[in-house]
Amino acid sequence: MTMHIDEARADEMAAGGSGASGGRAERGREPRGGIIGWLKRVRRFVAFKGFSSLTRRIVLLNLAGLCALVSGILYLSEFRSGLIDARIQSLLVQGEIIAAAIASSAQVETNAITLDPERLLELQAGESYGPDDGFAPLEFPINPERVAPVLRRLVGPTRTRARIYDREGQLLLDSRSLYSRGEILRYDLPSPNEPKPGVMERAWQAVQLWFGRGDLPLYKEFGPQAGKNYHEVASAALGAKASEVRVDERGQVVVSVAVPVQRFRAILGVLLLSTQSGEIDAAVKAERFVIVRVFLVAAVVMVLLSVLLAGTIADPVRKLAAAAERVRRRIKSRVEIPDFTARSDEIGHLSGALRDMTGALYNRIEAIESFAADVAHELKNPLTSLRSAVETLPLAKSDTSRNRLLEVIQHDVKRLDRLISDISDASRLDAELQRQEAANVDLKQLLEMVVGLAQDVRKDDGVCVSLSFERAHGAPADFLVAGHASRLGQVVDNLVSNARSFSPSGGSVRVMCRRLKDGAEIVVDDDGPGIRPDALARIFERFYTDRPHQGFGQNSGLGLSISRQIAEAHGGTIWAENRTEPGADGTPQVVGARFVVRLPTA
């Protein structure tokens, strides 16, 4: 019974433990799930925003420039060469100090050489007993047991490897093998069980060696008997300090300095100081890591600034493009282009140009639609009359009725021909004005030619056409305007023809050109009945005509409309007014009509 209870408790504990561990596992997964969820939300936000191609280009180009700059700094930085030079100088100073200490620790072999104190005191620095004296040269051999503690104390804190060679290049001491006074520990040998580097590691080492080596020689470890294979050791054995910069097989810089150990100018040996492999590279890596951190901060700032900059460019352009697309589709009757004209840059200029272009386009569309409606209406009347006359003609029983119907048919055909000619002229007017280049037009010569032709062509109506020129005070002497001579001549011809049609026989039409300071005016006066007040604003409408003295259908009503269209295309204006004179009772009396065309000068 106890056993069963214990087993049940064990099962409950196991279940509870598994639940607890599951709870811990769930709690352990919460932060990870939160980070993944946050990254997913950021990705959805970026996808929703949909950075435009222009934004991506600005960001990538700015980052590419920054990467090129940082890469150049990392690759061409003078920090490494400056660090190497500083390390060489410090090793030279350190080597001179250690060499002096070693020279002072060298002891004389008294059992091999007999010294004369009097003679020794007379020696100068670098002099020794000569062969003529019967003595061997003075020698102060380096005692490894005596020098080793000094070398260990001086080199130990500096993390510098020191080697002492005798004058023949034999290795006496190596700080890497010193443990305590005079005791040899061992050389650092690789473990026989150490795995060989893989292909990727060897490739990475080759890349590091290729980038880090440059024109530096490769460092090799020579044996204890071949110290003079280091050319700086060979130079120092001759009494000259020397230094060398090499790279090891991993591409890490090794700086070595050789200083002669001498006493009384007698060279006892050579001290070779070298840096630890990777010491300088570690400092360079630390410096480059700082540069990389600065680069990351600069990259984040540049990305944010680039996004903001692109937002001020891409977003308005995107809105303008969307509005232009809506204009093309014309979803609404009139689409409004976003107004960015408050910006004093190219985007504002583009917005203003698109707004003006769209406004002109809508005006043109509305004008075309209105023109088409007016044309259809005007053509329908003579066609209806012509159809009725044609249908009635077979039913006519008398010759008089047939002749009257034939006259109606001829009248309607002429009216249709006149309407079609004027409509064709009005429809191609804008295209011709846009296609032809404007040039300087001399109004004086133009008016003389147009008025002369008007007098020669129509002489049977008894109306005289006169021409005069005036110049306002301070106005230039020329009558030049920018435009198209043929179309300006058409305007004058329409106004003169219109004035002659309303003038009585024996009347006159007076054409005057007045030169103003900032333009020119063409004034056409007639002696007709004038214009009704309610028709002053309508006479320039298409197909509008008010000629009670003429029969119906004798005029298309497009002449004044075409004249206004030409004047506005030249940047000018045209208007009509009545000429008045005081009557017998003193009230103003209408004595004729006046049409005025004002044009800007060239």
Side-chain angles (χ1 to χ4, degrees), residues 257-323:
V257 172
V259 179
V261 179
Q262 55 186 356
R263 189 175 186 183
F264 298 109
R265 296 187 180 181
I267 298 175
L268 309 179
V270 176
L271 172 65
L272 178 64
L273 295 179
S274 58
T275 60
Q276 296 290 335
S277 179
E279 175 185 345
I280 294 178
D281 296 276
V284 173
K285 287 181 180 178
E287 183 68 20
R288 289 180 175 175
F289 181 70
V290 173
I291 295 176
V292 170
R293 286 192 300 177
V294 174
F295 161 73
L296 294 177
V297 174
V300 172
V301 174
M302 182 168 290
V303 168
L304 294 177
L305 294 179
S306 299
V307 171
L308 293 177
L309 174 62
T312 61
I313 299 175
D315 288 344
V317 171
R318 188 186 301 112
K319 292 179 181 178
L320 293 175

Side-chain angles (χ1 to χ4, degrees), residues 333-392:
S333 60
R334 195 177 185 98
V335 178
E336 187 71 19
I337 298 295
D339 187 7
F340 299 111
T341 54
R343 297 176 46 157
S344 57
D345 56 7
E346 287 76 7
I347 300 296
H349 179 70
L350 176 62
S351 174
L354 286 178
R355 288 173 64 86
D356 295 340
M357 181 191 70
T358 307
L361 178 63
Y362 277 123
N363 293 335
R364 181 67 57 83
I365 292 174
E366 293 172 357
I368 291 174
E369 292 176 350
S370 177
F371 181 75
D374 293 341
V375 167
H377 177 73
E378 291 298 321
L379 291 178
K380 188 175 183 180
N381 291 333
L383 286 175
T384 303
S385 175
L386 184 61
R387 178 182 179 182
S388 300
V390 171
E391 291 177 351
T392 309

Side-chain angles (χ1 to χ4, degrees), residues 147-178:
V147 173
V150 177
L151 184 64
R152 183 171 58 85
R153 287 195 300 269
L154 293 177
V155 176
T158 62
R159 297 178 56 83
T160 303
R161 182 184 180 186
R163 282 168 283 185
I164 299 178
Y165 295 89
D166 61 9
R167 287 177 298 182
E168 302 301 327
Q170 300 288 332
L171 180 64
L172 300 178
L173 287 173
D174 189 347
S175 62
R176 194 174 62 175
S177 304
L178 290 177

Side-chain angles (χ1 to χ4, degrees), residues 531-596:
I531 305 170
R532 293 185 293 111
D534 60 332
L536 285 174
R538 298 186 59 194
I539 59 175
F540 293 102
E541 294 179 0
R542 281 190 300 267
F543 305 111
Y544 177 81
T545 179
D546 184 13
R547 297 174 180 268
H549 60 288
Q550 293 182 353
F552 177 76
Q554 298 295 326
N555 192 276
S556 64
L558 287 174
L560 294 180
S561 175
I562 292 175
S563 299
R564 183 181 66 175
Q565 189 176 357
I566 295 174
E568 292 178 350
H570 285 77
T573 57
I574 184 172
W575 70 89
E577 57 187 28
N578 287 318
R579 295 190 306 108
T580 60
E581 291 182 358
D585 56 354
T587 58
Q589 299 292 328
V590 177
V591 295
R594 172 175 291 171
F595 288 84
V596 183

Side-chain angles (χ1 to χ4, degrees), residues 112-157:
I113 301 176
T114 303
L115 298 176
D116 183 0
E118 299 294 338
R119 179 64 174 164
L120 184 61
L121 292 176
E122 294 177 0
L123 288 175
Q124 300 295 326
E127 295 183 352
S128 61
Y129 289 110
D132 297 337
D133 297 330
F135 296 96
L138 281 177
E139 292 184 357
F140 297 86
I142 299 175
N143 189 341
E145 295 184 357
R146 186 177 181 87
V147 173
V150 177
L151 184 64
R152 183 171 58 85
R153 287 195 300 269
L154 293 177
V155 176

